[in-house]
Amino acid sequence: MEYKSVGQVWCYSGIVYDFHIYTGSGSGSVDNDPNLGVGGNVVRHLTSSLPENVGYKVYFDNYFSSVYLLQFLKAIEIWLVGTIRVDRLKGDKKVLHDKKKTQGSSDWCVDANSNITIVRWIDNGLVQLITNHIGNAQGSLAQRWSAQLKNYVKIERPLVVESTIWVV
C-alpha cells in the first residue's frame, strides 16, 4: 500500500493545534497573499488562529520559508526559524559566501531594515537557516565524527542551529 502526505499539521507540544488538508494546487483560502507563495500561505493560514503580539515561536522546513513570510509574521510578533532554499534568498544569496569551508564554519547576513538573519553553517553538509528573532550569535560546541582524523571533534555551532535541536 502506498501512502501520501495529505496535509500540513500544526502541533503544539505534540498535540494537534490546527491542520490544513491539501486538496491540490489552488487549495486554501481565497485571500491568499501572492507574495507568500503556496507554502507561505499555508503558514499564514495555520498561524492566523494565534493571538497577535504574544511572541509565539514557529519552526518549519524549507518548503514553507521565505524572506517575505518572516517579514510578514514578524510584524505581528510571531517569531520564526526555518531552513531555507537558496532560490528563496533573492539578492541575499550574493552576500553569503559560496566557498567550500570546513566543518563548523559559518557565514551569515542580517537585513538592516527587518533584522532578519540568514545563517549558513557547515555540519556534515550545508545547513541554511533563516530567523527573525535569534540573530547570528554563536551557540555551544557540537561533537561530530571526523572521518579525516578518525575521532570525534568539537565544532562551533550557531545559536540558531542549537535552537532547532529539540524541535525535530
Side-chain angles (χ1 to χ4, degrees):
M1 177 177 276
E2 186 177 329
Y3 294 94
K4 291 184 177 181
S5 174
V6 293
Q8 295 84 27
V9 178
W10 178 244
C11 295
Y12 176 73
S13 300
I15 299 169
V16 175
Y17 186 74
D18 199 354
F19 64 93
H20 177 79
I21 297 176
Y22 180 74
T23 57
S25 66
S27 67
S29 73
V30 194
D31 63 341
N32 282 341
D33 183 338
N35 294 319
L36 289 174
V38 176
N41 277 302
V42 168
V43 173
R44 186 177 64 87
H45 169 75
L46 291 173
T47 57
S48 65
S49 57
L50 294 175
E52 293 182 5
N53 304 315
V54 174
Y56 285 99
K57 294 178 183 169
V58 179
Y59 298 87
F60 48 87
D61 70 11
N62 63 28
Y63 179 77
F64 302 97
S65 59
S66 70
V67 174
Y68 185 79
L69 174 65
L70 270 75
Q71 291 169 339
F72 178 83
L73 292 174
K74 183 177 182 178
I76 55 175
E77 290 187 27
I78 294 180
W79 310 121
L80 299 121
V81 173
T83 55
I84 188 164
R85 299 174 182 178
V86 174
D87 63 339
R88 303 246 177 107
L89 292 177
K90 305 192 189 284
D92 297 326
K93 65 183 169 188
K94 295 175 185 159
V95 175
L96 295 167
H97 301 289
D98 285 330
K99 297 175 187 172
K100 183 68 177 165
K101 295 185 176 185
T102 59
Q103 189 176 32
S105 62
S106 62
D107 192 17
W108 51 269
C109 69
V110 179
D111 180 75
N113 296 326
S114 63
N115 206 30
I116 290 176
T117 306
I118 299 166
V119 176
R120 282 186 179 168
W121 176 60
I122 307 295
D123 190 13
N124 293 326
L126 176 66
V127 178
Q128 192 163 269
L129 295 155
I130 187 167
T131 180
N132 65 4
H133 72 99
I134 293 178
N136 63 340
Q138 282 297 326
S140 61
L141 296 176
Q143 183 171 298
R144 296 291 188 266
W145 177 257
S146 170
Q148 184 181 11
L149 299 174
K150 302 203 182 330
N151 198 359
Y152 286 99
V153 294
K154 301 252 184 209
I155 63 170
E156 292 182 1
R157 176 176 52 200
L159 188 60
V160 67
V161 174
E162 194 172 305
S163 75
T164 63
I165 292 173
W166 303 111
V167 177
V168 268

